Amino acid sequence: MAERVFLGTGRRKASIARVKMVPGKGNITVNGRDVRDFFPYETNIMDLMQPLVATNNENTFDITVKVNGGGFTGQTGAIRLGITRALLEYDKANEDKEDSYRKTLKRAGFVTRDPRVKERKKPGLKGARRAPQFSKR
């Protein structure tokens, strides 16, 4: 029988991450590269590991991620949401129990998608809200 695969999709800013989680030793691969090679800052890696740390699953799953769009911060947030959704799929049977992953992850704020995106540029302005300099004379 094939081993169980848990899927999760995460989005943040302009980034979309497709996460595939299988039981393993805790290896994380992002776009075919090790997570430490892909992300230049340790804070990015700590950020995407938060759902695994909160549920004590750092060394339980091997995670493969395909991510595109945006920058490092957006991609990290998208991967974090994707991992959270994959963990919720893994723990679907225990959803109504007191020690469920859903309660832990919801309390930590990982289940909710961050809706903040860049505001569009408006006509006649230099950016979304920045007006040209005013000259009295």
Side-chain angles (χ1 to χ4, degrees), residues 70-90:
F72 295 129
T73 305
Q75 289 181 349
T76 303
I79 293 170
R80 184 172 76 176
L81 182 60
I83 290 172
T84 300
R85 287 181 174 171
L87 282 168
L88 292 177
E89 187 182 321
Y90 166 74

Side-chain angles (χ1 to χ4, degrees), residues 1 16 20 34 42 58 64 75-76 85 90 93 99 102-103 109 114-115 123:
M1 186 174 137
I16 300 171
K20 187 166 90 172
D34 184 61
E42 192 64 33
E58 298 99 319
T64 307
Q75 289 181 349
T76 303
R85 287 181 174 171
Y90 166 74
D99 61 339
R102 179 163 198 86
K103 288 192 171 129
D114 191 344

Side-chain angles (χ1 to χ4, degrees), residues 91-105:
D91 196 47
K92 211 170 239 179
N94 299 332
E95 237 173 43
D96 54 344
K97 294 196 173 106
E98 192 59 39
D99 61 339
S100 72
Y101 287 171
R102 179 163 198 86
K103 288 192 171 129
T104 307
L105 294 168

Side-chain angles (χ1 to χ4, degrees), residues 20-41:
K20 187 166 90 172
M21 211 166 66
V22 294
K25 298 191 185 314
N27 300 322
I28 300 176
T29 309
V30 180
N31 290 353
R33 294 161 54 190
D34 184 61
V35 70
R36 302 204 181 282
D37 296 334
F38 190 82
F39 288 112
Y41 307 112

